[in-house]
């Protein structure tokens, strides 16, 4: 498939309480809340989208805060995205160590398998998060949270998948998602998606005897890849079907159109279109301030607002 996929689109995680999630991604990591909406499949639960100023695909982290909804704690394991990495300038890593310490977040300094300096820590729900130091990221950061531009996070750097048979995932990503192996070390393979810049990187970690992961609080639910448009998405969908794999119909997620399928090691993949983006239902300057509902749920706004916990940010 040539040119259908541009980069990563977003990473979506099942998390615990809403307020600590906002405090962490907005207050500590300095991301912009670009959309406050609900889980379209479960409108009693928020769906938060964090990213750069406009929620550019490749910068977006999204969470479903499922606290109090009888969702069990997730189990980390194989067939799962175990680390979500953000990129920031190399010289900013001391700043980030200070920020994490000031917020009481324990971290370890552990470079990536490919030579970059990196800081690893958990988010409030237990998600594995990493800040990777790189000067190869040309994206403009969001500075509205008060973090200076020379320190601020540029967007998602990569996702790391723990898988039993990395060659199978690499083959599928290569054939369907414009991926190519750009680096390999013992136990780790780095794939570039339509390039090799931060925001276009997928790491495959060789699972050994880990059991399969189970989705629940504190685990990543899926990673989405950015399709240029609906035509590119349909071409990928047809290819998934041709391979005998199950794929969902095209679903309207209001801010993009989505299809979902499981790659051969069990990780849930989504292909999401670049258009229409987060300004489809509110202006750029006020993204994320008001609760936005999909049109089909507007009639139930009062009930939905009564269920959702109050949050400040
Ligand atoms: Zn998604």
């Amino acid at each position: 498939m040539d040119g259908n996929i541009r980069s990563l689109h977003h990473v979506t995680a099942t998390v615990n309480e809403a307020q600590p999630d906002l405090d962490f991604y907005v207050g500590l990591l300095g991301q912009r809340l670009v959309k406050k909406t609900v889980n379209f499949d479960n409108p009693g639960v928020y769906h938060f989208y964090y990213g750069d100023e406009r929620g550019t695909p490749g910068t977006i982290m999204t969470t479903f805060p499922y606290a109090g909804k009888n969702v069990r704690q997730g189990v980390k394991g194989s067939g799962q995205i175990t680390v979500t990495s953000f990129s920031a300038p190399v010289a900013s890593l001391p700043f980030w160590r200070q920020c994490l310490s000031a917020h009481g977040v324990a971290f370890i300094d552990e470079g990536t398998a490919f030579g970059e300096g990196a800081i690893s820590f958990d988010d409030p729900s237990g998600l594995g998060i990493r800040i990777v130091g790189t000067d190869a990221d040309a994206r403009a950061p969001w500075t509205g949270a008060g973090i200076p531009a020379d320190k601020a996070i540029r967007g998602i750097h990569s996702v790391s998948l723990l898988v039993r048979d990395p060659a199978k995932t690499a083959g599928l990503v290569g054939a369907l998602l414009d991926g190519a192996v750009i680096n390999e070390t013992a136990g780790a393979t780095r794939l570039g998606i339509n390039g090799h810049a931060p925001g276009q990187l997928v790491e495959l970690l060789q699972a050994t005897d880990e059991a399969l992961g189970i989705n629940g609080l504190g685990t990543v639910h899926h990673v989405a890849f950015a399709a240029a448009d609906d035509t590119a998405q349909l071409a990928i969908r047809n290819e998934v079907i041709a391979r005998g794999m199950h794929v969902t119909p095209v679903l309207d997620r209001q801010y993009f159109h989505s299809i979902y399928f499981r790659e051969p090691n069990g990780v849930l993949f989504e292909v999401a279109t670049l258009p229409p983006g987060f300004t489809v239902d509110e202006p750029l300057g006020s993204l994320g301030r008001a609760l936005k509902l999909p049109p089909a749920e507007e009639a139930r706004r009062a009930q939905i607002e009564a269920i959702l916990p109050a949050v400040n940010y």
Side-chain angles (χ1 to χ4, degrees), residues 33 116 224:
L33 182 71
E116 300 106 334

Side-chain angles (χ1 to χ4, degrees), residues 10-12 47 49 62 222-224 256 258 260 270 272:
H10 64 265
V11 176
T12 292
H47 193 181
Y49 289 81
T62 101
H222 63 266
V223 59
F256 41 84
S258 297
Y260 303 82
E270 173 182 352

